[in-house]
Structure formats: structure tokens, C-alpha cells
């Protein structure tokens, strides 16, 4: 007791007429009740006030921790009125730091290596978290590359100053870093393949994936390509129950495995989540929803509802006006998937050139055939642990084929199957009680369980 105050005063005395920089200052308040960090804080606060004309104090650290630290003590917040946020370095800035290191040793690099570094820094930036090393990452990379280059120069008897950094000087672990997690990617694509039907949808998704893989491999090979201003936002059209939401969830994880999204999480929204009832509130509501989806997927179902207000004072247009620029400004951190009935979405897109220009691919989800509806139902039964006899299976196939052939414009597809399946389960459970079933009879469907 008391030694902390003495030690803190000594450090402050050394900083008088200058700057006292305290890194990770929040650790002073993280030691628990028996820790003397609070004594250091109390001493610091008093000296900051008494010596305010002779001392400048700067505290630094992670934003969230610093905010908690300031909120824990009103005196700190009052004496530290100015907050400056140091943003993470962008990929181009990371490349510039690397080039500065090159200039210090009076060396250069090949164009192929520069392209590979652009790809690497872009991938690292997209996957960064709060512990991202920024310039430290570049420094570590350069030191390792400098060692590999030096070994190469000695082994091949090259000119030390004139020999540029080559693609082969990139350490193997960084080549793996830039190569996406293809094992996870293949597992996700397998999940896509396991979905019933949707052959054209699967083909479209694979073409998108292959394009991204090709771009990445071209950059890694040092081949210059002009990708332009790529947009990855998607439009899903088709009737309900055709798997649009399921595929949209997979898209986020697939793009994360590709290294194009940091989180790949899935946020689902509709008109009610985006549109408010008062002027100015819709923009805030929409922006909050978009920000919650950053680094992942924002799935907007029945998106045409944004332009279908019930009155002349509808605020759906405000939601669209907020969405469009953020689709552009956040295109590296966000994938927006708009979904809905085919005709309605076509009309919506034709009426909104801003959104239309930001959609990279349009994917039509066809209605499931009778056979596919049948397979979906059998899958539900198997997953639920029920027994479907050949007789029941044949009857269900007939029903679903007839359902498909006589479907209307708004056919429910998988939803229709679920309705039939849930009704069958309900009737079977009723028979369990009514007929005092036991053994396999408790799990086996009969013809009378199938709804008309």
C-alpha cells in the first residue's frame, strides 16, 4: 500500500513539460478488488489536474476497452475530452508500408510479387479482427522475405543490391494465407449439392465461386487482371419454398471460405425491419440493419415491398435511398441478396436503376418437380425418425406429382410439402393415443394419415 502512488508520481515527474503516453491504460482497472491499479488511477487523476499546464497525458488501446475504462471513472472522462480513432491500415496502405521498407534497403520487387502482395494484404485485411497487427504484420513479412531473398542471392551468386524481391521469396505460410480454406469451401459446396433439385441454381453458384477462385489464383501467379468495380450483390427470384433462404445462408459461409467476407453471418430482413412510420426514422432503421450485416449477408425477402406503400407518405423509398449507396460503399464488406416472386422482382428492378446496376448476378429458383417434392418429404420423414412404407411412398409421389402439375402462380413448393408432412405426423400421433399403438406402429405412417 502506498508504493503504487510513489511509483506513479515518479513516472509523472519524468514526463513534466512533455507527454506521458500510457498504452493499454485500461489494465489499471482490470486487476480486481485487491489490485493497486485504482491507486495509480487516483494518483494520475490528481496530477493531471494539478499539472495540467505542464503535462499532456495520452492513453491508448483497443476502442472498446478504452471506452469501458473511461466510463468506469467520471474523472477520467472529464480530463480526456478528445478521442482520436486510428483506423486499420487498408490493403493499399499496407502495400505502401512494404514499399517503404524496400526503399530503406534500396531494393525493388517484381510486378508479379506486387500483385501477389495486393492479394495477400486484401485477404488479411478482410479477415482482420481486433488483434490485427497492421504495420506489424508487414514488418514481420518483410523480415522473413528479406531472409529468404538473402539465402537465394547467396545460393545463386546474385548481385545483392540489384536483385529484386521475387514471388518465390514469399514465405510458404503466407502463400497458404492467401490461398483460401478450400477444404471448408468444398464442404460447403457439398452441402449445396445435397439440396434437392435446384440444378441451375447450383450451377450458377459454382460459376460465381470459380470466378473468384480464378481471380485469386491469377493474382497469386503474378498475372495482372482488370477486375473493375466488381459487385457481388445477388437477386434471387422464384416462388416461395424453393430454397432461396437456405442457399442465401450458404452463400455467406462460401464467401467467407473464399476470403471475401470476414464473418459470413446471415441477417434476414423484410419491409417491416427496414421501414418506419416517421420521417427520418426509416433511414436510421435501414442503416442499423445494414451495419449489423457488415462482413456477412443481408437477405431482404420480398424486397419489392419497399416500393409498395399503402399511402403517398410511405417511407419505403427512403429505405431504398439508404440501401443503394451502402451497397456501393460497403461492397467489399457486404453481400446484399434481394429475393421475391419473379414478376414482382422484375418490376421492382426495372423501377430502380440504382439497385439494378449494383446486382452482379440474377439467379432464378425454379419450382420443385413432383419427384423433387416427393424426395423432400421422404427426407423430412427420415430426419424425423418416422417409417414410410413403399405403399405410403407411392401414394405421396402421386399426390406431389398432381400438386406440381396443377400448381398455381404462387405455388408454395417446400412449404406445401411441410404442410402435408406436419399433417401426417399430427394424424399419426393422434392414432398413437386413440389406438394405443406400440413398437414400430408408433412410428409407421398409414394411408389414413395422408391428408386429402
Amino acid at each position: 500500500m502506498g508504493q503504487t502512488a510513489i511509483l506513479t508520481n515518479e513516472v509523472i515527474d519524468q514526463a513534466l513539460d512533455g507527454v506521458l503516453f500510457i498504452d493499454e491504460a485500461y489494465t489499471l482497472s482490470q486487476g480486481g478488488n485487491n489490485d493497486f491499479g485504482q491507486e495509480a488511477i487516483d494518483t494520475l487523476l490528481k496530477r493531471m489536474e494539478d499539472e495540467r499546464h505542464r503535462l499532456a497525458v495520452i492513453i491508448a488501446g483497443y476502442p472498446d476497452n478504452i471506452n469501458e475504462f473511461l466510463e468506469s471513472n467520471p474523472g477520467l472522462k472529464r480530463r480526456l475530452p478528445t478521442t482520436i480513432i486510428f483506423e486499420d491500415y487498408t490493403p493499399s496502405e499496407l502495400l505502401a508500408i512494404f514499399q517503404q521498407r524496400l526503399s530503406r534497403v534500396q531494393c525493388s520487387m517484381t510486378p508479379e510479387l506486387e500483385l501477389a502482395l495486393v492479394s495477400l494484404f486484401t485477404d488479411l485485411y478482410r479477415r482482420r479482427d481486433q488483434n490485427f497487427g497492421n504495420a506489424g504484420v508487414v514488418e514481420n513479412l518483410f523480415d522473413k522475405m528479406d531472409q529468404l531473398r538473402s539465402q537465394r542471392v547467396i545460393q545463386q551468386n546474385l548481385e545483392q543490391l540489384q536483385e529484386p524481391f521475387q514471388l518465390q521469396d514469399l514465405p510458404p505460410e503466407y502463400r497458404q494465407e492467401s490461398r483460401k480454406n478450400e477444404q471448408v469451401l468444398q464442404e460447403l459446396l457439398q452441402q449445396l449439392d445435397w439440396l434437392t433439385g435446384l440444378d441451375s441454381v447450383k450451377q450458377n453458384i459454382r460459376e460465381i465461386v470459380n470466378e473468384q477462385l480464378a481471380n485469386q489464383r491469377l493474382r497469386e501467379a503474378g498475372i495482372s487482371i482488370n477486375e473493375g468495380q466488381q459487385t457481388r450483390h445477388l437477386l434471387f427470384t422464384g416462388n416461395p419454398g424453393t430454397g432461396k433462404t437456405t442457399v442465401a445462408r450458404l452463400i455467406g459461409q462460401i464467401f467467407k471460405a473464399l476470403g471475401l467476407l470476414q464473418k459470413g453471418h446471415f441477417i434476414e430482413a423484410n419491409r417491416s425491419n427496414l421501414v418506419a412510420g416517421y420521417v427520418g426514422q426509416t433511414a436510421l432503421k435501414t442503416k442499423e440493419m445494414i451495419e449489423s450485416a457488415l462482413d456477412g449477408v443481408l437477405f431482404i425477402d420480398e424486397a419489392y415491398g419497399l416500393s409498395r406503400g399503402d399511402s403517398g407518405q410511405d417511407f419505403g423509398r427512403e429505405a431504398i435511398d439508404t440501401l443503394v449507396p451502402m451497397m456501393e460503399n460497403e461492397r467489399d464488406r457486404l453481400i446484399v441478396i434481394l429475393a421475391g416472386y419473379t414478376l414482382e422482382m422484375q418490376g421492382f428492378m426495372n423501377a430502380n436503376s440504382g439497385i439494378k446496376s449494383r446486382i452482379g448476378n440474377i439467379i432464378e429458383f425454379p419450382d420443385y418437380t413432383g419427384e423433387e417434392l416427393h424426395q423432400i418429404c421422404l427426407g423430412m420423414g427420415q430426419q424425423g425418425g418416422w417409417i414410410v412404407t413403399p405403399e405410403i411412398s407411392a401414394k405421396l409421389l402421386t399426390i406431389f406429382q398432381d400438386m406440381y402439375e396443377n400448381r398455381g402462380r404462387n405455388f408454395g413448393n417446400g412449404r406445401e410439402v411441410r404442410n402435408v408432412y406436419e399433417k401426417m405426423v399430427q394424424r399419426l400421433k393422434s392414432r398413437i393415443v386413440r389406438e394405443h399403438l406400440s413398437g414400430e406402429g408408433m412410428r409407421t405412417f398409414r394411408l389414413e394419415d395422408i391428408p386429402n
Side-chain angles (χ1 to χ4, degrees), residues 112-148:
E112 291 78 14
L113 174 59
E114 183 173 349
L115 284 169
L117 288 176
V118 169
S119 176
L120 172 61
F121 291 144
T122 299
D123 294 337
L124 292 173
Y125 180 80
R126 283 172 176 157
R127 292 201 295 272
R128 74 194 187 282
D129 56 21
Q130 67 171 5
N131 298 314
F132 182 55
N134 285 288
V137 172
V138 181
E139 294 289 337
N140 291 336
L141 173 62
F142 181 85
D143 290 342
K144 291 180 179 181
M145 291 186 64
D146 193 32
Q147 292 178 8
L148 291 174

Side-chain angles (χ1 to χ4, degrees), residues 32 36 73-74 76 80 86 104 111 137 142 156 202 232 251 343 345 353 379 382:
F36 298 111
N73 193 308
L76 281 169
L80 295 164
F86 286 73
R104 288 183 207 167
V137 172
F142 181 85
Q156 300 179 19
K202 295 171 184 176
R232 303 184 181 97
I251 287 287
L343 291 178
M345 290 305 297
S353 58
Q382 183 178 19

Side-chain angles (χ1 to χ4, degrees), residues 363-378:
I363 300 178
E364 173 73 22
F365 284 67
D367 288 333
Y368 289 114
T369 65
E371 291 76 9
E372 290 167 348
L373 295 171
H374 178 241
Q375 288 300 315
I376 292 172
C377 189
L378 294 182

